[in-house]
Amino acid sequence: PHLIDQLIEDVNFTSATGTKETPALSSKTLQRDEELPDHKATWSYRSVIGKLNFLLQSTRPELAVAVHQCARFSVAPKTSHTDAVHHIIKYLLGSREKGLIFTPDLTKSFDVYADANFCGLWNRDTAMDDPSTAKSRTGFVMTLGGCPISWTSKLQTEIALSTTEAEYIALSQAMRELLPLRRLLLEMATAMKLPGIEDSIIKSTVFEDNNGAIATATSVKMTPRTKHIAVKYHFFKSHITDANGIFLDKIESAIQKADIFTKGLAPHKFGEMRMLLC
């Protein structure tokens, strides 16, 4: 709450300013908007973005998409980006006391929820001059005992050619975070001399809601259609084995926790996802 108070003070808001139900609009994604006037507010755009980044990485994961959208334009922000930051602060104004509540579930292990939004930035009016509108967004969250400990929302570095491909790329990016963290968790357990750790296997379930991505990840063969992403992304297929303790499982989109990291959601859906995650 103390950092949120700083942000509210930075943009000169008061309790009478009004609040928002979500940190970002579900009907709009931020673009370069080069024809609009530059950011003219008295507050420093980069400073506010820095504080918002710290907040979302610490205790407010539901801000990830909204803050990342605004952070992309820190070099030359326009008035539309100023308005988007104001929207986030208004959301924080109405949810100042909210945050993560950890309720460990001992039946769950070290799991990952991965999702993607295929070509979510697409804008036919600006696509000719802005190739980033063709990029998809990756979102994933890692949970230990059901509690979120690491989360990411970012644009993919290459252009996916289908929803399946975008989901598969997100799956691979999540796995590249999971594997070293599993080793770190095992190191910590060994250093703490937890009983029976020598004979234990850390079990992880990777939850994915796209059937095509699951089929690609579990297939023993590589088709010509996926050859162009083979070197970078197929590496993790050998890790998804019973011996390694990593399993790939289908999850319904309605309870896919990573959905909140891929796009702006409508208020009702956002509330459901925030409760599920936080």
Side-chain angles (χ1 to χ4, degrees), residues 187-247:
E187 252 184 69
M188 292 170 61
T190 303
M192 295 170 65
K193 295 183 172 58
L194 296 184
I197 193 62
E198 299 84 0
D199 305 316
S200 298
I201 295 177
I202 298 175
K203 291 189 175 181
S204 298
T205 303
V206 183
F207 293 102
E208 171 61 54
D209 61 4
N210 183 272
N211 289 323
I214 293 174
T216 304
T218 54
S219 174
V220 295
K221 64 180 181 178
M222 181 173 61
T223 65
R225 180 168 174 75
T226 56
K227 185 176 180 181
H228 65 289
I229 57 172
V231 175
K232 191 171 184 181
Y233 293 105
H234 285 342
F235 83 94
F236 72 88
K237 293 176 71 169
S238 61
H239 293 280
I240 303 177
T241 63
D242 292 351
N244 288 330
I246 301 179
F247 310 91

Side-chain angles (χ1 to χ4, degrees), residues 4 22 26 38 42 49 51 55 66 73 76 93-94 147 164 178-179 203 220 227 259:
I4 293 174
T22 64
S26 61
D38 292 339
T42 56
I49 291 296
K51 292 178 181 179
L55 188 64
F73 306 101
L93 192 59
C147 301
T164 291
L178 173 67
L179 296 175
K203 291 189 175 181
V220 295
K227 185 176 180 181
D259 192 39

Side-chain angles (χ1 to χ4, degrees), residues 10-12 33-46 48 73-86:
D10 286 344
V11 299
N12 301 314
D33 294 333
E34 294 179 349
E35 74 286 354
L36 293 181
D38 292 339
H39 166 76
K40 298 292 187 190
T42 56
W43 47 272
S44 168
Y45 190 91
R46 288 190 182 186
V48 168
F73 306 101
S74 294
V75 173
K78 301 295 183 178
T79 51
S80 59
H81 309 135
T82 305
D83 293 341
V85 172
H86 283 161

Side-chain angles (χ1 to χ4, degrees), residues 235-264:
F235 83 94
F236 72 88
K237 293 176 71 169
S238 61
H239 293 280
I240 303 177
T241 63
D242 292 351
N244 288 330
I246 301 179
F247 310 91
L248 185 59
D249 202 0
K250 178 77 165 65
I251 191 171
E252 295 300 321
S253 297
I255 54 173
Q256 170 58 281
K257 294 182 180 182
D259 192 39
I260 201 170
F261 297 109
T262 61
K263 55 186 173 293

Side-chain angles (χ1 to χ4, degrees), residues 33-224:
D33 294 333
E34 294 179 349
E35 74 286 354
L36 293 181
D38 292 339
H39 166 76
K40 298 292 187 190
T42 56
W43 47 272
S44 168
Y45 190 91
R46 288 190 182 186
S47 175
V48 168
I49 291 296
K51 292 178 181 179
L52 286 170
N53 264 321
F54 185 86
L55 188 64
L56 84 86
Q57 294 293 350
S58 303
T59 61
R60 302 297 294 270
E62 80 273 21
L63 298 177
V65 170
V67 174
H68 183 264
Q69 281 196 101
C70 295
R72 291 180 57 226
F73 306 101
S74 294
V75 173
K78 301 295 183 178
T79 51
S80 59
H81 309 135
T82 305
D83 293 341
V85 172
H86 283 161
H87 191 107
I88 298 173
I89 306 298
K90 287 179 181 178
Y91 166 75
L92 291 174
L93 192 59
S95 59
R96 181 179 171 278
E97 297 293 336
K98 293 188 181 295
L100 289 175
I101 300 175
F102 287 157
T103 309
D105 183 348
L106 299 183
T107 65
K108 296 181 180 179
S109 184
F110 193 15
D111 300 325
V112 181
Y113 296 79
D115 199 12
N117 181 19
F118 174 60
C119 211
L121 295 178
W122 179 254
N123 185 316
R124 61 182 298 175
D125 298 324
T126 61
M128 292 297 292
D129 303 313
D130 185 6
S132 67
T133 61
K135 290 185 176 180
S136 302
R137 179 175 290 276
T138 285
F140 61 82
V141 57
M142 301 189 186
T143 61
L144 183 59
C147 301
I149 60 171
S150 178
W151 48 86
T152 294
S153 175
K154 60 184 178 182
L155 293 183
Q156 296 176 357
T157 53
E158 58 272 281
I159 309 300
L161 302 182
S162 65
T163 299
T164 291
E165 200 168 294
E167 295 274 0
Y168 188 65
I169 291 172
L171 190 59
S172 176
Q173 290 176 318
M175 286 289 291
R176 275 181 280 166
E177 295 282 342
L178 173 67
L179 296 175
L181 283 178
R182 278 167 52 88
R183 290 193 291 269
L184 177 62
L185 186 61
L186 189 59
E187 252 184 69
M188 292 170 61
T190 303
M192 295 170 65
K193 295 183 172 58
L194 296 184
I197 193 62
E198 299 84 0
D199 305 316
S200 298
I201 295 177
I202 298 175
K203 291 189 175 181
S204 298
T205 303
V206 183
F207 293 102
E208 171 61 54
D209 61 4
N210 183 272
N211 289 323
I214 293 174
T216 304
T218 54
S219 174
V220 295
K221 64 180 181 178
M222 181 173 61
T223 65

